[in-house]
């Protein structure tokens, strides 16, 4: 029996017109940026998983809002397939990350960026600016794409 897609959750966190993004590649091996979050642990709610992942990666406590994106990607060579569920979220309490270190050593950098700054970086998913800075509401879907590193 083949394992199904990996499920992950990610947070779209805005502060003063800036989006929080992270680089989740140990040793700064990639210049690809994304929203904070990670894999879902079975038997734990999506919200609890997202709060845990964001805290591990940034040290921030968050209040989770509405879902805003379903994104999926795969690696045709290995068969890896992941579905990311994105939620709007707000920081609760302190919003400083500088002294925090990811205990798993995966996230090594983080930035608060404007739309213009984000568009000057390599990031995934392609719809990240739209869900973070766009006027639209509701749930978007990014169809299956090939993984990038």
């Amino acid at each position: 029996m083949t394992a199904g897609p990996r499920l992950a959750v990610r947070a779209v966190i805005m502060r003063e017109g800036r989006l929080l993004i992270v680089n989740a590649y140990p040793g700064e091996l990639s210049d690809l940026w994304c929203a904070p979050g990670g894999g879902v642990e079975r038997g734990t709610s999506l919200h609890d998983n997202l709060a845990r992942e964001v805290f591990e990666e940034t040290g921030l406590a968050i209040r989770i809002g509405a879902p805003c994106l379903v994104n999926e990607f795969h690696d045709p060579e290995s068969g890896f397939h992941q579905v990311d569920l994105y939620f709007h979220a707000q920081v609760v309490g302190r919003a400083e990350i500088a002294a925090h270190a990811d205990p798993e050593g995966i996230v090594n950098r983080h930035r608060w960026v404007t739309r213009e700054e984000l568009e000057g970086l390599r990031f995934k998913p392609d719809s990240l600016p739209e869900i973070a800075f766009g006027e639209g509401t509701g749930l978007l879907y990014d169809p299956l794409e090939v993984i990038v590193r």
Side-chain angles (χ1 to χ4, degrees):
M1 184 167 120
T2 306
R6 178 179 190 259
L7 183 61
V9 286
R10 298 200 176 275
V12 177
I13 304 170
M14 301 295 295
R15 182 184 76 179
E16 299 172 359
R18 294 177 175 270
L19 171 67
L20 177 62
I21 56 174
V22 298
N23 180 275
Y25 292 89
E28 299 185 26
L29 295 176
S30 176
D31 63 346
L32 186 67
W33 294 85
C34 62
V40 168
E41 294 177 355
R42 292 181 188 271
T44 304
S45 74
L46 296 175
H47 279 199
D48 288 347
N49 275 286
L50 184 54
R52 173 186 46 78
E53 284 289 340
V54 169
F55 185 78
E56 286 175 2
E57 293 181 358
T58 67
L60 299 175
I62 58 171
R63 179 180 309 112
I64 300 163
C68 53
L69 174 68
V70 176
N71 171 250
E72 62 177 322
F73 56 91
H74 77 292
D75 181 349
E77 292 179 22
S78 70
F80 178 79
H81 182 173
Q82 180 161 310
V83 176
D84 285 346
L85 303 175
Y86 285 72
F87 291 84
H88 288 291
Q90 296 176 324
V91 174
V92 176
R94 76 170 185 87
E96 297 306 318
I97 307 171
H100 182 78
D102 179 0
E104 294 185 17
I106 296 171
V107 168
N108 57 67
R109 292 173 283 166
H110 52 271
R111 297 173 62 173
W112 292 95
V113 295
T114 63
R115 184 178 196 135
E116 293 75 27
E117 290 168 331
L118 178 64
E119 290 175 351
L121 299 170
R122 201 166 73 95
F123 63 87
K124 280 293 179 186
D126 294 342
S127 59
L128 189 55
E130 183 178 353
I131 60 172
F133 302 102
E135 299 294 323
T137 59
L139 186 64
L140 297 179
Y141 171 66
D142 262 348
L144 185 66
E145 62 183 337
V146 175
I147 195 170
V148 297
R149 292 179 174 81

